[in-house]
Amino acid sequence: MNARLLPYMLILPVTLFLCLFFLYPFVLVAKQAFTTGAGFTLDNFREVVSYWKFPISLKNTLLLAAAVVPIQLALSLLMATMVTRMEKGRDLVLYVWTIPLGISDLAAGLIWLAIFEQSGFLNSMMHGMGIVDKPANLLTFQNPGLVFVAIALAEIWRATAIMLVILVAGIGLIPKEYYEAAEVFGASPWKRFVRITLPMLRPSLQTALVLRVIMAFEVFAVVAALGGTLFPVLMGETYAYQFDLLNSGAAAAMALVILAISIAATLVILRALRVPKGATI
Amino acid sequence: MAEIQIKNVAKKFGAYQALHDINLTIADQEFMVLLGASGCGKTTLLRIICGLETATEGEVWIGGRRVDHLAPKDRGIAMVFQNYAVFPHLTVFENIGFGLRMQKLPDDEVRRRVERVASLMHIEMLLKRYSGELSGGQRQRVAVARALAMEPDVILMDEPLSNLDALLRMEMRAELKGVLAESKTTAVYVTHDQVEAMSMADRISVMHQGEIVQAASPIEVYRNPAAEFVASFIGNPPMNFLRAEAAGDGKWSVAGNVIDGPRYGKSPLQFAIRPEDMQPAGDGLEAKVKIVEPLGAHLLVTCEVNGTLFRAVLDSDMEVKRGDMLTLAPQTDRVRWFDPETTLAVA
């Protein structure tokens, strides 16, 4: 076997797999989005963007991402720093913290629904403690703020661990000597975090943020379980086009809009957290 | 003025006793080398002086101030790390200025000090680079410059040259010694390399199994080792040892020769002599040559005396070959004696 060809031969199976099950469907979706019966057109895009629910679902999706991701970033950094400092029981704590990762997003939504619904844990508890006279239905159109908070909480609970895992691995790669040098040269623990941990964690932060932000734009099942139609989001609208309105051209166009937003966000994150030219981390 | 006093310092890691009751005074502006094999506790002692490690017992004083409860930054020290620890995400300038920035010095003061030490270490043209763009030797210079920029009372160095290749190490050794003498700081330097220790130190503390066996000038450590360990650790090749039986009245029988020695009881002693302190003569130790290594400047001959391996450094003109019998006369004023019970030197 020619040694120069061997690497390409080895990645051939996975390349074929990706082309068949990823690239090909993607091309189909793109084709669907840009065509009606009569050749190339932007009609599908015009239709979805001019629909009255589009601005609301776009706003909701972005707002949710803007509220959830920074909190998750701060939380996962804090948790990762704490776990890294642990000498014993570190793996156990990590396992417990990552349990939500193993639960599907619909199940996660249902768990939080069980807390917030009229006969749920929160109402029972408040009623039992005499804070409220009778259980109230919290997740209604009269409480849009509460619906948002419930969805945000469920998202934070469900998806912080994915960032945590990446950041724990990243922090583990930073040599201890850098912290010792920083300490000897007068950096307080906070300064060490800001001047050593954060900059040297940039590659991991990029990965964690890109993954998490893309996930945030694709939010669907948690919202469906907790908000139903009260809180329209882009992915929910895509679903409605495909399965309720049976308009697959519009659904494909929505999917591409979400993809465009994801790509834009990814580029912004990569740019914001880039490592200066020449610096090696 | 920064004299370092280490008083009764001991360190335990769990059940393992890394340091036993260390007492050491390092004078102001002295260059003290802590020398020993790996695991002897030299780095632990340095880290205790630095404050990265806390002593289990004892006190550390720097410049007349007790510092063992202070954070490293409040001890008036700076450190050069073995792997340099030059921050890869900062430029050379920001690396050297890191400690000054932490002290919140004004920008122009930072610039002035960084430029001064950079030119001292001959790296002024590298200030805009990142550590990934530097060679090992240049990174080493940055690490030293960063320590010097602090203008510390004490500079601590943990095997700073061990990652450099041999030629560069020799060059840096001389340069570092000059720069440190110029800066008038007290220096504590950890190494396992005895050549480095001998050539740089004002005083060497030889450490073994968590204790300081001898703290003295390089020549004193070499000529008058306080214990068998020092004699066998310092010098390449190390000192030769032969068993000496008491022959009464300050005379000792060594491999069939009767030699003048100390008046010291009747139990056997160790006779010790450096390989270069012997001459072929008509009368002396009978040595059977096993290996001959011509080293250019001299001839290193490994022989057997009375069943014990024994090395001699001879003139390179000598014609010696494997299997020859040599008679080696020890230079009497260079002979040392050790008590095998205590392993300590006998006067």
Side-chain angles (χ1 to χ4, degrees):
Chain A
M1 174 64 67
N2 190 329
R4 270 172 53 197
L5 285 177
L6 186 62
Y8 298 98
M9 295 299 292
L10 290 174
I11 61 166
L12 191 64
V14 77
T15 312
L16 282 177
F17 179 88
L18 284 176
C19 286
L20 193 62
F21 293 103
F22 185 79
L23 205 58
Y24 179 62
F26 175 78
V27 170
L28 285 186
V29 168
K31 206 174 129 197
Q32 230 170 5
F34 285 107
T35 52
T36 51
F40 179 82
T41 174
L42 290 175
D43 281 354
N44 286 323
F45 289 91
R46 275 188 211 106
E47 185 185 338
V48 298
V49 170
S50 60
Y51 186 48
W52 68 273
K53 269 179 129 179
F54 181 81
I56 305 171
S57 50
L58 177 64
K59 191 190 86 183
N60 283 344
T61 306
L62 295 180
L63 208 62
L64 191 62
V68 166
V69 174
I71 294 175
Q72 289 187 318
L73 177 63
L75 265 180
S76 55
L77 275 171
L78 180 70
M79 290 157 87
T81 313
M82 292 192 327
V83 163
T84 311
R85 290 279 179 84
M86 290 181 68
E87 285 177 9
K88 278 185 190 155
R90 179 191 151 134
D91 288 352
L92 183 70
V93 171
L94 257 184
Y95 284 134
V96 171
W97 279 354
T98 47
I99 284 174
L101 271 188
I103 294 172
S104 83
D105 47 354
L106 182 59
L110 293 176
I111 288 172
W112 284 83
L113 186 64
I115 295 174
F116 281 104
E117 68 181 346
Q118 191 158 12
S119 54
F121 296 117
L122 185 62
N123 267 310
S124 313
M125 204 175 75
M126 289 203 299
H127 183 61
M129 287 161 63
I131 300 170
V132 293
D133 294 338
K134 58 179 184 5
N137 193 358
L138 302 167
L139 302 174
T140 69
F141 70 95
Q142 287 140 317
N143 296 328
L146 203 56
V147 173
F148 183 81
V149 168
I151 293 171
L153 272 177
E155 275 289 283
I156 289 167
W157 177 82
R158 185 179 73 82
T160 303
I162 185 76
M163 298 180 78
L164 171 70
V165 171
I166 296 169
L167 295 184
V168 166
I171 288 179
L173 289 177
I174 303 176
K176 219 177 85 199
E177 228 174 20
Y178 292 130
Y179 290 106
E180 291 186 341
E183 186 182 349
V184 168
F185 287 99
S188 61
W190 172 249
K191 281 271 187 222
R192 271 174 258 157
F193 178 73
V194 175
R195 299 287 309 260
I196 309 293
T197 308
L198 281 186
M200 299 201 60
L201 204 54
R202 268 184 296 216
S204 307
L205 283 172
Q206 279 181 340
T207 312
L209 273 174
V210 166
L211 260 180
R212 184 60 197 100
V213 166
I214 291 176
M215 272 169 71
F217 293 144
E218 290 170 355
V219 67
F220 175 58
V222 169
V223 175
L226 286 167
T229 52
L230 298 174
F231 194 83
V233 288
L234 291 174
M235 206 44 126
E237 293 312 295
T238 313
Y239 180 88
Y241 276 118
Q242 179 73 32
F243 296 105
D244 299 341
L245 306 172
L246 298 178
N247 183 348
S248 50
M254 277 298 272
L256 289 191
V257 169
I258 297 171
L259 177 66
I261 297 172
S262 298
I263 290 173
T266 302
L267 291 177
V268 169
I269 292 166
L270 292 182
R271 174 91 188 146
L273 291 176
R274 74 186 186 286
V275 175
K277 196 170 179 296
T280 44
I281 291 175
Chain B
M1 292 293 282
E3 181 189 73
I4 304 173
Q5 283 175 292
I6 293 154
K7 299 181 183 173
N8 306 101
V9 162
K11 175 71 183 177
K12 274 187 177 173
F13 293 106
Y16 176 69
Q17 183 101 32
L19 292 174
H20 303 265
D21 195 35
I22 300 281
N23 284 287
L24 184 66
T25 300
I26 302 166
D28 180 42
Q29 297 185 31
E30 188 173 25
F31 195 123
M32 170 64 87
V33 170
L34 305 180
L35 175 67
S38 56
C40 72
K42 57 193 192 299
T43 296
T44 305
L45 182 58
L46 188 81
R47 289 169 64 87
I48 287 172
I49 300 173
C50 173
L52 287 170
E53 210 80 70
T54 319
T56 316
E57 284 167 49
E59 299 173 6
V60 178
W61 293 66
I62 295 177
R65 209 160 50 105
R66 188 171 171 188
V67 298
D68 42 292
H69 299 298
L70 299 179
K73 69 179 167 71
D74 299 322
R75 298 187 178 200
I77 52 131
M79 183 147 165
V80 179
F81 290 82
Q82 182 173 10
N83 299 319
Y84 320 135
V86 173
F87 304 122
H89 60 291
L90 299 177
T91 59
V92 168
F93 184 97
E94 287 304 327
N95 260 290
I96 299 175
F98 187 88
L100 310 175
R101 296 263 191 236
M102 290 299 130
Q103 293 178 348
K104 299 202 163 55
L105 292 187
D107 274 354
D108 53 342
E109 173 70 5
V110 173
R111 174 157 296 279
R112 195 184 61 75
R113 284 221 223 165
V114 169
E115 279 169 0
R116 191 182 67 82
V117 294
S119 86
L120 202 62
M121 294 307 297
H122 309 294
I123 48 173
E124 56 271 59
M125 63 294 183
L126 304 175
L127 287 176
K128 288 201 178 77
R129 298 230 199 134
Y130 288 95
S131 99
E133 302 167 304
L134 305 179
S135 67
Q138 290 170 328
R139 238 172 274 173
Q140 169 62 47
R141 286 167 185 275
V142 174
V144 175
R146 179 172 62 182
L148 290 173
M150 300 293 285
E151 296 176 4
D153 299 325
V154 174
I155 194 160
L156 306 171
M157 286 170 280
D158 186 6
E159 310 226 9
L161 305 183
S162 61
N163 288 349
L164 301 180
D165 60 60
L167 207 64
L168 204 55
R169 201 180 314 163
M170 217 156 85
E171 189 187 308
M172 277 302 283
R173 208 160 69 197
E175 197 174 327
L176 209 50
K177 190 176 178 177
V179 166
L180 284 169
E182 192 76 19
S183 71
K184 298 198 179 357
T185 49
T186 310
V188 186
Y189 187 106
V190 161
T191 184
H192 64 265
D193 181 337
Q194 50 163 308
V195 179
E196 228 167 271
M198 296 289 289
S199 64
M200 295 176 87
D202 292 326
R203 238 172 1 129
I204 299 177
S205 294
V206 182
M207 294 187 66
H208 183 50
Q209 293 177 346
E211 293 184 67
I212 293 178
V213 187
Q214 187 173 16
S217 71
I219 199 67
E220 177 72 11
V221 166
Y222 189 78
R223 282 276 170 258
N224 298 311
E228 268 187 57
F229 171 77
V230 181
S232 57
F233 188 73
I234 305 260
N236 184 23
M239 241 174 166
N240 292 303
F241 293 98
L242 289 172
R243 189 182 161 88
E245 302 288 349
D249 200 25
K251 305 251 181 237
W252 297 84
S253 160
V254 178
N257 292 263
V258 174
I259 297 176
D260 283 339
R263 294 173 186 278
Y264 193 84
K266 290 198 159 39
S267 51
L269 287 182
Q270 290 275 39
F271 158 94
I273 184 84
R274 293 231 171 255
E276 67 271 28
D277 294 337
M278 280 172 296
Q279 288 298 324
D283 193 22
L285 304 165
E286 296 286 317
K288 183 167 194 226
V289 175
K290 306 285 269 185
I291 304 164
V292 180
E293 295 168 79
L295 299 178
H298 49 249
L299 207 62
L300 175 60
V301 183
T302 304
C303 356
E304 206 179 85
V305 175
N306 227 7
T308 308
L309 273 191
F310 197 89
R311 291 193 184 85
V313 170
L314 303 177
D315 194 282
S316 55
D317 290 339
M318 288 240 343
E319 296 218 355
V320 186
K321 61 182 187 302
R322 185 182 152 82
D324 284 358
M325 289 302 292
L326 290 175
T327 310
L328 297 168
Q331 203 178 317
T332 43
D333 60 325
R334 294 282 169 86
V335 174
R336 297 293 176 265
W337 303 86
F338 295 93
D339 184 338
E341 292 286 316
T342 61
T343 77
L344 297 179
V346 174

